[in-house]
């Protein structure tokens, strides 16, 4: 027997093309069958529905986080230890003490991998050095992975193991003192090479358990669908499938096909994915193969993204990971094979390279509406937005970054502030911008936090507002976390808005949302999350 649920006496934010707000929503089993007036909803319910009086609260489509490292966020290997403020690390002395205590529990030569390291939040506001790590932990290899995921600090034991393994770290990514001594800091390609040489990969069991644990946290935030941005390559793909089969996968997942283990690993992953014969769209409403992803440059917050002009305080341009010819070869081949494409591209130089490759691929092998993407698209010029519009590209910005790292961005890119996450410019140009949180890079991954950030663009540490003319309004921000996200995965016909025939993925908030300030929006709670009509 079918089950009907009637939500009434509240704000039904449909996120449809007209931004309709109505007074009632009726679902039957896993689908929406009506959104509109209370009288018609009750007539259609025929007295058979469970009735939920919203008492003025808002109902929204289930949130879609379009860039999140969901499958690796919660899983840790036995070597990993947290080194964040939540772990009691506020100073370099705290960090050294913690690492020293961990070393006492390890055998000589066993690895210690610190996760969540962020020098910006240390009282000294500087990177720890290899010498300091060597003094605190002389007998164990140590690697502190920066929260951005694009750089790390290593001690002498870790470098020695890399050398013994035959690794030749690129000099431009291995930071040394003026007299040629290793500082401990490695960035981008060197960082990923060191990462691959460390025992960071968790077991399949730990990954499945992590997926189960983190998706439950996401559901509590109202997130019913994620676009997983990848991580451990084939281990991620394998364990997502295991999680789905065992019932541990709590959110609908559209997975990006990517590995974090460096340039060569990305090339091999692309080759394997293309030759498999299975391309974007393979799967079902719970787990689906998404775009082939390539990381083209570094981190905006780490100051390692590829820009056309010098970053403030820097005396050199940071290089892209791939040359244009290499990127063309991968993307043209993958586009021809039927893949949606995406690229981590934060700096404007990297964005140009990606657009060049997409344009070549689409010109050589025309395909209807491939919806290629750019993850982050952080420092984006007006001219690039015009190209994005003309090519039908989907940028995936992360507005929550502005609230967490706005001050860092001002330090690096203050002379180009109008290009930082230019949400209003995208809107004026008619470009959809689905939002992603980029958790695990960021701790605060609530869509309500991201919506508020997009509306006010205020750094919560300094109070500075970053390019206020790039703010967007509430309804646009909601669509960025709902309808636009569905479009980015070719699923706008089945989810993303509260319309008849679509999946009953929805969120009930603690109060109304229309007319609320960003501060008030952040204080709203998710009271209930429904996935396919089932309260989860």
């Amino acid at each position: 027997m079918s089950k009907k649920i009637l939500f009434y006496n509240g704000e039904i934010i449909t996120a449809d093309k007209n931004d309709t707000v109505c007074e009632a929503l009726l679902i039957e089993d896993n689908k929406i069958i009506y959104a509109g007036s209370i009288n018609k909803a009750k007539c259609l319910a025929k007295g058979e529905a469970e009735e939920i009086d919203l008492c003025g609260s808002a109902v929204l489509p289930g949130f879609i986080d379009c860039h999140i490292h969901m499958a690796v966020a919660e899983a840790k290997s036995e070597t990993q230890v947290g080194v964040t403020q939540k772990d009691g690390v506020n100073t370099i002395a705290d960090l050294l003490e913690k690492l020293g205590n961990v070393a006492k529990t390890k055998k000589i030569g066993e690895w210690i991998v610190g996760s969540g390291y962020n020098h910006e939040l240390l009282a000294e506001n500087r990177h720890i050095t290899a010498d300091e790590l060597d003094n605190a932990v002389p007998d164990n290899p140590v690697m502190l992975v920066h929260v951005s995921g694009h750089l790390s600090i290593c001690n002498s034991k870790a470098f020695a193991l890399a050398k013994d393994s035959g690794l030749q770290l690129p000099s431009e990514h291995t930071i040394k003192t003026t007299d040629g001594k290793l500082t401990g800091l490695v960035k981008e390609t060197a960082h990923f090479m060191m990462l691959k040489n460390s025992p960071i990969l968790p077991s399949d069991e730990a990954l499945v358990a992590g997926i189960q644990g983190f998706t439950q946290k996401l559901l509590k935030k109202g997130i019913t669908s994620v676009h997983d941005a990848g991580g451990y390559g084939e281990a991620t793909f394998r364990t997502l499938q295991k999680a789905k089969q065992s019932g541990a996968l709590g959110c609908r997942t559209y997975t990006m096909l990517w590995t974090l283990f460096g340039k060569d690993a990305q090339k091999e992953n692309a080759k394997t994915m293309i030759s498999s014969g299975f391309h974007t769209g393979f799967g079902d409403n719970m787990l689906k193969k998404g775009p082939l992803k390539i990381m083209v440059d570094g981190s905006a917050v780490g100051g390692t993204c590829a820009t056309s002009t010098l970053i403030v305080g820097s005396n050199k341009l940071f290089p892209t990971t791939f040359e244009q010819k290499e990127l063309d070869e991968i993307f043209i081949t993958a586009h021809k094979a039927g893949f949606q494409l995406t690229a981590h591209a934060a700096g404007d130089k990297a964005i140009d390279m990606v657009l060049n490759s997409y344009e070549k691929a689409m010109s050589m092998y025309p395909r209807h509406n491939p919806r290629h993407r750019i993850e982050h698209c952080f420092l984006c010029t007006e001219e690039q937005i015009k190209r994005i519009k003309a090519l039908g590209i989907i940028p995936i910005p992360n507005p929550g970054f502005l609230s967490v790292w706005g001050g860092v961005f001002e330090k690096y890119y203050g002379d180009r502030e109008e290009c930082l996450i230019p949400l209003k410019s995208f809107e004026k140009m008619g470009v959809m911008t689905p939002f992603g949180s980029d958790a695990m890079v960021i701790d605060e991954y609530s869509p309500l936090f991201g919506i508020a950030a997009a509306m006010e663009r205020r750094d919560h540490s300094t109070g500075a507002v970053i390019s206020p003319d790039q703010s967007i309004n509430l309804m646009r921000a909601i669509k960025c976390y709902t309808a636009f996200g569905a479009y980015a995965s070719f699923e706008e016909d089945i989810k993303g808005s509260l319309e008849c025939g679509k999946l009953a993925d929805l969120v009930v908030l603690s109060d109304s949302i229309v007319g609320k300030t960003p501060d008030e929006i952040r204080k709203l709670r998710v009271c209930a999350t429904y996935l396919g009509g089932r309260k989860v």
Side-chain angles (χ1 to χ4, degrees):
M1 184 177 177
S2 66
K3 180 183 179 182
K4 294 178 182 176
I5 305 176
L6 171 63
F7 300 88
Y8 71 99
N9 190 26
E11 289 175 349
I12 310 299
I13 312 292
T14 64
D16 67 4
K17 64 180 181 180
N18 297 317
D19 293 332
T20 305
V21 179
C22 54
E23 57 184 2
L25 180 76
L26 183 62
I27 66 175
E28 184 172 8
D29 297 330
N30 69 334
K31 297 284 182 69
I32 297 166
I33 62 172
Y34 178 71
S37 72
I38 181 61
N39 290 336
K40 187 169 180 180
K42 287 199 171 186
C43 181
L44 290 170
K46 298 176 182 177
E48 299 169 353
E50 172 191 353
E51 295 189 1
I52 297 178
D53 185 346
L54 297 167
C55 300
S57 293
V59 173
L60 282 70
F63 294 124
I64 302 172
D65 190 319
C66 286
H67 188 106
I68 187 168
H69 297 273
M70 178 271 293
V72 301
E74 198 86 345
K76 300 286 187 268
S77 70
E78 293 180 355
T79 62
Q80 286 180 269
V81 56
V83 292
T84 68
Q85 286 184 327
K86 291 180 180 178
D87 301 301
V89 175
N90 296 295
T91 66
I92 288 175
D94 292 339
L95 180 53
L96 294 173
E97 182 181 5
K98 187 174 186 70
L99 295 172
N101 289 334
V102 171
K104 293 174 184 176
T105 69
K106 301 280 187 180
K107 296 177 183 176
I108 291 176
E110 281 189 324
W111 273 87
I112 300 171
V113 179
S115 59
Y117 166 73
N118 188 353
H119 64 292
E120 302 274 359
L121 296 182
L122 296 174
E124 295 83 356
N125 194 29
R126 69 167 175 85
H127 283 299
I128 195 168
T129 66
D131 285 344
E132 289 169 321
L133 289 177
D134 290 343
N135 289 331
V137 188
D139 300 318
N140 300 81
V142 177
M143 183 177 190
L144 304 179
V145 182
H146 191 263
V147 65
S148 69
H150 286 258
L151 53 97
S152 53
I153 308 292
C154 302
N155 72 348
S156 297
K157 287 282 185 183
F159 283 122
L161 286 175
K163 186 176 181 179
D164 292 344
S165 299
L167 291 183
Q168 295 185 342
L169 303 179
S171 59
E172 68 269 23
H173 297 163
T174 308
I175 311 305
K176 299 180 180 180
T177 62
T178 52
D179 58 358
K181 185 179 180 181
L182 290 169
T183 64
L185 177 61
V186 287
K187 300 182 177 183
E188 300 305 331
T189 300
H191 156 72
F192 290 117
M193 291 171 74
M194 291 295 292
L195 200 63
K196 189 174 183 180
N197 202 52
S198 75
I200 195 171
L201 182 62
S203 65
D204 277 15
E205 293 75 18
L207 280 166
V208 170
I211 290 167
Q212 183 172 28
F214 197 53
T215 53
Q216 290 306 306
K217 291 182 178 180
L218 295 174
L219 290 171
K220 290 178 181 178
K221 302 282 189 184
I223 299 168
T224 54
S225 294
V226 298
H227 297 187
D228 186 82
Y232 298 137
E234 65 181 43
T236 301
F237 315 146
R238 179 176 64 245
T239 51
L240 278 169
Q241 184 71 17
K242 286 184 176 182
K244 185 201 169 193
Q245 290 170 341
S246 68
L249 182 63
C251 296
R252 304 187 194 279
T253 302
Y254 186 68
T255 182
M256 299 181 213
L257 308 170
W258 177 71
T259 174
L260 60 75
F261 292 124
K263 180 177 178 177
D264 290 342
Q266 289 187 70
K267 285 184 174 181
E268 189 61 33
N269 175 69
K271 183 179 178 182
T272 300
M273 291 296 112
I274 294 167
S275 64
S276 74
F278 295 101
H279 56 73
T280 301
F282 180 76
D284 57 26
N285 291 343
M286 204 63 198
L287 179 60
K288 190 172 292 186
K289 199 167 188 177
L292 180 71
K293 175 184 169 185
I294 296 294
M295 182 177 283
V296 179
D297 71 343
S299 161
V301 70
T304 58
C305 61
T307 55
S308 58
T309 58
L310 290 176
I311 290 173
V312 175
S314 175
N315 58 5
K316 66 175 183 178
L317 295 172
F318 219 84
T320 55
T321 305
F322 291 82
E323 299 295 328
Q324 185 73 63
K325 185 178 179 180
E326 295 175 304
L327 199 61
D328 290 349
E329 183 178 349
I330 294 170
F331 277 160
I332 290 170
T333 306
H335 171 83
K336 183 182 178 183
F339 282 85
Q340 183 186 34
L341 308 175
T342 196
H344 167 119
D348 61 325
K349 181 180 178 181
I351 293 168
D352 262 340
M353 287 180 62
V354 173
L355 291 174
N356 291 341
S357 288
Y358 288 172
E359 193 167 25
K360 290 173 189 174
M362 293 163 71
S363 175
M364 291 172 67
Y365 302 102
R367 210 173 88 205
H368 176 66
N369 200 13
R371 301 187 194 182
H372 298 323
R373 305 164 42 141
I374 301 177
E375 310 300 312
H376 310 305
C377 207
F378 173 79
L379 196 68
C380 192
T381 67
E382 196 77 23
E383 195 58 41
Q384 287 173 331
I385 296 174
K386 291 177 183 177
R387 289 187 71 192
I388 285 168
K389 173 63 177 177
L391 293 170
I393 307 305
I394 305 172
I396 315 288
N398 317 108
F401 284 10
L402 294 164
S403 294
V404 177
W405 289 315
V408 178
F409 296 152
E410 276 198 313
K411 179 175 73 174
Y412 288 143
Y413 317 103
D415 58 338
R416 304 180 66 187
E417 191 175 289
E418 74 284 351
C419 296
L420 301 182
I421 314 184
L423 300 178
K424 193 65 178 180
S425 294
F426 282 128
E427 182 182 5
K428 287 178 178 178
M429 199 67 68
V431 175
M432 289 189 193
T433 51
F435 286 167
S437 65
D438 207 10
M440 61 190 176
V441 172
I442 192 171
D443 284 336
E444 183 47 85
Y445 50 87
S446 164
L448 294 171
F449 181 87
I451 287 168
M455 293 170 65
E456 70 171 359
R457 302 177 64 93
R458 177 170 60 88
D459 181 294
H460 289 183
S461 297
T462 66
V465 178
I466 314 302
S467 193
D469 58 336
Q470 292 293 350
S471 300
I472 57 175
N473 67 26
L474 172 65
M475 287 302 180
R476 171 80 179 185
I478 288 174
K479 278 188 173 177
C480 293
Y481 258 118
T482 54
F484 295 169
Y487 181 85
S489 59
F490 302 90
E491 295 174 300
E492 69 270 22
D493 290 338
I494 63 168
K495 65 183 181 183
S497 60
L498 301 180
E499 297 181 89
C500 185
K502 294 192 178 182
L503 291 166
D505 295 355
L506 54 100
V507 179
V508 182
L509 300 183
S510 56
D511 200 349
S512 64
I513 192 169
V514 174
K516 293 286 194 293
T517 66
D519 276 336
E520 290 169 335
I521 290 170
R522 272 188 292 271
K523 292 173 184 176
L524 291 172
R525 292 177 294 106
V526 171
C527 293
T529 303
Y530 289 78
L531 185 73
R534 183 171 60 92
K535 189 177 180 180
V536 289

